[in-house]
Amino acid sequence: MIDYIEYECDSQQEPFVQVFYKHDLYEELMVIAKNKDTHNEYIQLNVSGKMIDIQISDEYIKPIVRFQIDENEAVISSMHNSFLEFFGNSVEFRWKACGYNNCIPHLQNLKGCIKFSSHGANKETLENFFSSAPAFKWIDVSADGKTEPSDPESKFYQAESIQTLQLRNNSPDILSHFQGKQVVFKFGHCNFLDVISFVNRWKSGEAYHKLEYLMIEVFWDVFPQNEY
């Protein structure tokens, strides 16, 4: 019944581990967080060859996997390996990033997910984030200006699903380079020639060979039915 397991990461890189089932149900499994000075005793368990501190406290409802700051990656990797040993490849794993200022770890069978606004974004920071990340399950971006990665082979364009909200379609590279399965474009104002070119290249089989679903929503303009 499990659809996927998600690491929902906050700005402190302390992920909540949640199990999502196939009928839109989910439950929190554990929290992975930094060690704190506490009077509560830890239980030590050998997880995939590494001794890990487990804590039961009133701070969270579920168990807390504790780590020292310099052991963050090692502890998360060990927990992930234990899930793989139990589930094998029957379950997909997702890492839901909180913004683009923290990296997503490269773990087996793990895909990235991110929702962010490019308002005020540093393009170099975005480039570095996507180049260092694993493959993406989905990206939800509110675009302000032309801030997509300049590399047509960027993992940004290879995401399985992209949804973009733009007051103006001033980020045409998404229309040109998208390589995934699903895309949702939401525009305030739209350059209809760009959209028509995208659709024609898809329908003719010239490009977007993996694309299965396309939705285009324009808020303020009226799409001309008979002019193109």
Side-chain angles (χ1 to χ4, degrees), residues 104-118:
I104 299 177
H106 284 259
L107 300 172
Q108 184 179 342
N109 203 24
L110 178 73
K111 292 186 177 180
C113 304
I114 184 172
K115 180 178 181 178
F116 72 99
S117 170
S118 66

PDB file of all heavy atoms in Angstrom, residues 104-118:
ATOM      1  N   ILE A 104      20.666  18.509  -1.829  1.00  0.00           N
ATOM      2  CA  ILE A 104      19.919  17.261  -1.701  1.00  0.00           C
ATOM      3  C   ILE A 104      20.918  16.115  -1.803  1.00  0.00           C
ATOM      4  O   ILE A 104      21.697  16.068  -2.757  1.00  0.00           O
ATOM      5  CB  ILE A 104      18.858  17.145  -2.799  1.00  0.00           C
ATOM      6  CG1 ILE A 104      17.855  18.306  -2.693  1.00  0.00           C
ATOM      7  CG2 ILE A 104      18.120  15.814  -2.705  1.00  0.00           C
ATOM      8  CD1 ILE A 104      16.814  18.304  -3.798  1.00  0.00           C
ATOM      9  N   PRO A 105      20.926  15.183  -0.849  1.00  0.00           N
ATOM     10  CA  PRO A 105      21.923  14.116  -0.892  1.00  0.00           C
ATOM     11  C   PRO A 105      21.694  13.158  -2.051  1.00  0.00           C
ATOM     12  O   PRO A 105      20.564  12.984  -2.531  1.00  0.00           O
ATOM     13  CB  PRO A 105      21.729  13.395   0.456  1.00  0.00           C
ATOM     14  CG  PRO A 105      20.317  13.696   0.849  1.00  0.00           C
ATOM     15  CD  PRO A 105      20.032  15.076   0.323  1.00  0.00           C
ATOM     16  N   HIS A 106      22.771  12.548  -2.508  1.00  0.00           N
ATOM     17  CA  HIS A 106      22.689  11.520  -3.549  1.00  0.00           C
ATOM     18  C   HIS A 106      22.576  10.167  -2.860  1.00  0.00           C
ATOM     19  O   HIS A 106      23.564   9.612  -2.373  1.00  0.00           O
ATOM     20  CB  HIS A 106      23.919  11.572  -4.445  1.00  0.00           C
ATOM     21  CG  HIS A 106      23.903  12.696  -5.423  1.00  0.00           C
ATOM     22  ND1 HIS A 106      23.565  12.547  -6.756  1.00  0.00           N
ATOM     23  CD2 HIS A 106      24.157  14.012  -5.260  1.00  0.00           C
ATOM     24  CE1 HIS A 106      23.625  13.705  -7.370  1.00  0.00           C
ATOM     25  NE2 HIS A 106      23.986  14.609  -6.486  1.00  0.00           N
ATOM     26  N   LEU A 107      21.358   9.653  -2.798  1.00  0.00           N
ATOM     27  CA  LEU A 107      21.090   8.363  -2.175  1.00  0.00           C
ATOM     28  C   LEU A 107      20.367   7.474  -3.181  1.00  0.00           C
ATOM     29  O   LEU A 107      19.635   7.963  -4.053  1.00  0.00           O
ATOM     30  CB  LEU A 107      20.233   8.528  -0.919  1.00  0.00           C
ATOM     31  CG  LEU A 107      20.827   9.401   0.190  1.00  0.00           C
ATOM     32  CD1 LEU A 107      19.792   9.647   1.293  1.00  0.00           C
ATOM     33  CD2 LEU A 107      22.070   8.736   0.785  1.00  0.00           C
ATOM     34  N   GLN A 108      20.568   6.177  -3.048  1.00  0.00           N
ATOM     35  CA  GLN A 108      19.989   5.238  -4.006  1.00  0.00           C
ATOM     36  C   GLN A 108      18.467   5.358  -4.041  1.00  0.00           C
ATOM     37  O   GLN A 108      17.804   5.437  -3.009  1.00  0.00           O
ATOM     38  CB  GLN A 108      20.394   3.805  -3.632  1.00  0.00           C
ATOM     39  CG  GLN A 108      19.922   2.750  -4.621  1.00  0.00           C
ATOM     40  CD  GLN A 108      20.374   1.359  -4.209  1.00  0.00           C
ATOM     41  OE1 GLN A 108      21.275   1.197  -3.409  1.00  0.00           O
ATOM     42  NE2 GLN A 108      19.728   0.346  -4.769  1.00  0.00           N
ATOM     43  N   ASN A 109      17.902   5.381  -5.250  1.00  0.00           N
ATOM     44  CA  ASN A 109      16.457   5.402  -5.464  1.00  0.00           C
ATOM     45  C   ASN A 109      15.795   6.653  -4.878  1.00  0.00           C
ATOM     46  O   ASN A 109      14.624   6.630  -4.508  1.00  0.00           O
ATOM     47  CB  ASN A 109      15.802   4.146  -4.869  1.00  0.00           C
ATOM     48  CG  ASN A 109      14.469   3.836  -5.525  1.00  0.00           C
ATOM     49  OD1 ASN A 109      14.223   4.229  -6.648  1.00  0.00           O
ATOM     50  ND2 ASN A 109      13.605   3.145  -4.814  1.00  0.00           N
ATOM     51  N   LEU A 110      16.563   7.745  -4.773  1.00  0.00           N
ATOM     52  CA  LEU A 110      16.044   8.991  -4.222  1.00  0.00           C
ATOM     53  C   LEU A 110      15.897  10.039  -5.323  1.00  0.00           C
ATOM     54  O   LEU A 110      16.815  10.241  -6.122  1.00  0.00           O
ATOM     55  CB  LEU A 110      16.983   9.535  -3.143  1.00  0.00           C
ATOM     56  CG  LEU A 110      16.580  10.871  -2.513  1.00  0.00           C
ATOM     57  CD1 LEU A 110      15.382  10.680  -1.579  1.00  0.00           C
ATOM     58  CD2 LEU A 110      17.752  11.482  -1.740  1.00  0.00           C
ATOM     59  N   LYS A 111      14.739  10.725  -5.335  1.00  0.00           N
ATOM     60  CA  LYS A 111      14.504  11.817  -6.278  1.00  0.00           C
ATOM     61  C   LYS A 111      14.191  13.096  -5.505  1.00  0.00           C
ATOM     62  O   LYS A 111      13.586  13.059  -4.441  1.00  0.00           O
ATOM     63  CB  LYS A 111      13.348  11.476  -7.223  1.00  0.00           C
ATOM     64  CG  LYS A 111      13.663  10.344  -8.193  1.00  0.00           C
ATOM     65  CD  LYS A 111      12.543  10.133  -9.195  1.00  0.00           C
ATOM     66  CE  LYS A 111      12.904   9.053 -10.203  1.00  0.00           C
ATOM     67  NZ  LYS A 111      11.817   8.842 -11.197  1.00  0.00           N
ATOM     68  N   GLY A 112      14.602  14.207  -6.082  1.00  0.00           N
ATOM     69  CA  GLY A 112      14.387  15.491  -5.439  1.00  0.00           C
ATOM     70  C   GLY A 112      13.012  16.072  -5.762  1.00  0.00           C
ATOM     71  O   GLY A 112      12.403  15.770  -6.785  1.00  0.00           O
ATOM     72  N   CYS A 113      12.532  16.940  -4.862  1.00  0.00           N
ATOM     73  CA  CYS A 113      11.309  17.709  -5.064  1.00  0.00           C
ATOM     74  C   CYS A 113      11.565  19.097  -4.483  1.00  0.00           C
ATOM     75  O   CYS A 113      12.171  19.218  -3.421  1.00  0.00           O
ATOM     76  CB  CYS A 113      10.115  17.083  -4.334  1.00  0.00           C
ATOM     77  SG  CYS A 113       9.762  15.364  -4.764  1.00  0.00           S
ATOM     78  N   ILE A 114      11.095  20.132  -5.152  1.00  0.00           N
ATOM     79  CA  ILE A 114      11.327  21.476  -4.632  1.00  0.00           C
ATOM     80  C   ILE A 114      10.253  22.427  -5.117  1.00  0.00           C
ATOM     81  O   ILE A 114       9.812  22.368  -6.270  1.00  0.00           O
ATOM     82  CB  ILE A 114      12.725  22.007  -5.025  1.00  0.00           C
ATOM     83  CG1 ILE A 114      12.982  23.381  -4.375  1.00  0.00           C
ATOM     84  CG2 ILE A 114      12.894  22.082  -6.531  1.00  0.00           C
ATOM     85  CD1 ILE A 114      14.395  23.885  -4.540  1.00  0.00           C
ATOM     86  N   LYS A 115       9.811  23.294  -4.196  1.00  0.00           N
ATOM     87  CA  LYS A 115       8.926  24.407  -4.525  1.00  0.00           C
ATOM     88  C   LYS A 115       9.642  25.673  -4.103  1.00  0.00           C
ATOM     89  O   LYS A 115      10.057  25.799  -2.953  1.00  0.00           O
ATOM     90  CB  LYS A 115       7.583  24.273  -3.804  1.00  0.00           C
ATOM     91  CG  LYS A 115       6.615  25.409  -4.112  1.00  0.00           C
ATOM     92  CD  LYS A 115       5.273  25.201  -3.420  1.00  0.00           C
ATOM     93  CE  LYS A 115       4.314  26.345  -3.767  1.00  0.00           C
ATOM     94  NZ  LYS A 115       2.980  26.144  -3.138  1.00  0.00           N
ATOM     95  N   PHE A 116       9.822  26.613  -5.038  1.00  0.00           N
ATOM     96  CA  PHE A 116      10.559  27.816  -4.694  1.00  0.00           C
ATOM     97  C   PHE A 116      10.147  28.973  -5.596  1.00  0.00           C
ATOM     98  O   PHE A 116       9.523  28.784  -6.640  1.00  0.00           O
ATOM     99  CB  PHE A 116      12.068  27.578  -4.807  1.00  0.00           C
ATOM    100  CG  PHE A 116      12.588  27.452  -6.220  1.00  0.00           C
ATOM    101  CD1 PHE A 116      13.178  28.527  -6.867  1.00  0.00           C
ATOM    102  CD2 PHE A 116      12.496  26.249  -6.904  1.00  0.00           C
ATOM    103  CE1 PHE A 116      13.657  28.405  -8.165  1.00  0.00           C
ATOM    104  CE2 PHE A 116      12.973  26.123  -8.204  1.00  0.00           C
ATOM    105  CZ  PHE A 116      13.549  27.210  -8.832  1.00  0.00           C
ATOM    106  N   SER A 117      10.505  30.165  -5.161  1.00  0.00           N
ATOM    107  CA  SER A 117      10.318  31.369  -5.964  1.00  0.00           C
ATOM    108  C   SER A 117      11.675  31.857  -6.426  1.00  0.00           C
ATOM    109  O   SER A 117      12.628  31.879  -5.644  1.00  0.00           O
ATOM    110  CB  SER A 117       9.619  32.454  -5.139  1.00  0.00           C
ATOM    111  OG  SER A 117       9.641  33.692  -5.837  1.00  0.00           O
ATOM    112  N   SER A 118      11.751  32.244  -7.674  1.00  0.00           N
ATOM    113  CA  SER A 118      13.021  32.738  -8.197  1.00  0.00           C
ATOM    114  C   SER A 118      13.170  34.251  -7.982  1.00  0.00           C
ATOM    115  O   SER A 118      14.125  34.848  -8.465  1.00  0.00           O
ATOM    116  CB  SER A 118      13.137  32.421  -9.693  1.00  0.00           C
ATOM    117  OG  SER A 118      12.165  33.150 -10.426  1.00  0.00           O
TER     118      SER A 118
END
